[in-house]
Amino acid sequence: MDNMSYNTKLEMAVEIIAAKIAMHSKKCDKIEDKEMQKLLNERNEMYKGNEIIIDKIIREYGQEIKNDYEKI
């Protein structure tokens, strides 16, 4: 993943975090939920260009999203 351009990584992270937030919003009904706040904060950090968070989103949440879609 290190040889991928920053823009490509960012585009992937945007799609992954959007799916993660959407999936979590189906489970909770309040934006004050701790997990939702964590996801929203990570999304904000991603948009600020925090490469550690971008990599986390791709590696950790990307795998979760992939596994959830494979169950469908």
Side-chain angles (χ1 to χ4, degrees):
M1 190 163 60
D2 292 332
N3 60 353
M4 214 183 298
S5 77
Y6 175 77
N7 287 339
T8 302
K9 287 170 60 172
L10 182 59
E11 286 181 35
M12 288 174 52
V14 167
E15 296 299 325
I16 292 168
I17 198 72
K20 179 77 174 165
I21 289 170
M23 292 172 76
H24 186 73
S25 70
K26 289 181 181 179
K27 297 177 190 172
C28 73
D29 58 346
K30 296 182 181 180
I31 197 161
E32 294 85 16
D33 178 74
K34 286 185 181 187
E35 178 69 17
M36 181 61 79
Q37 285 300 310
K38 179 183 144 203
L39 292 169
L40 294 174
N41 288 334
E42 288 176 337
R43 183 189 64 184
N44 290 339
E45 283 298 309
M46 175 197 69
Y47 280 125
K48 290 179 185 176
N50 185 330
E51 290 193 49
I52 294 170
I53 296 295
I54 291 169
D55 287 340
K56 175 188 177 186
I57 291 168
I58 293 170
R59 286 191 174 114
E60 189 177 314
Y61 299 154
Q63 189 62 44
E64 290 176 25
I65 299 299
K66 179 182 175 190
N67 290 341
D68 285 343
Y69 281 119
E70 286 176 350
K71 291 178 186 175
I72 296 175

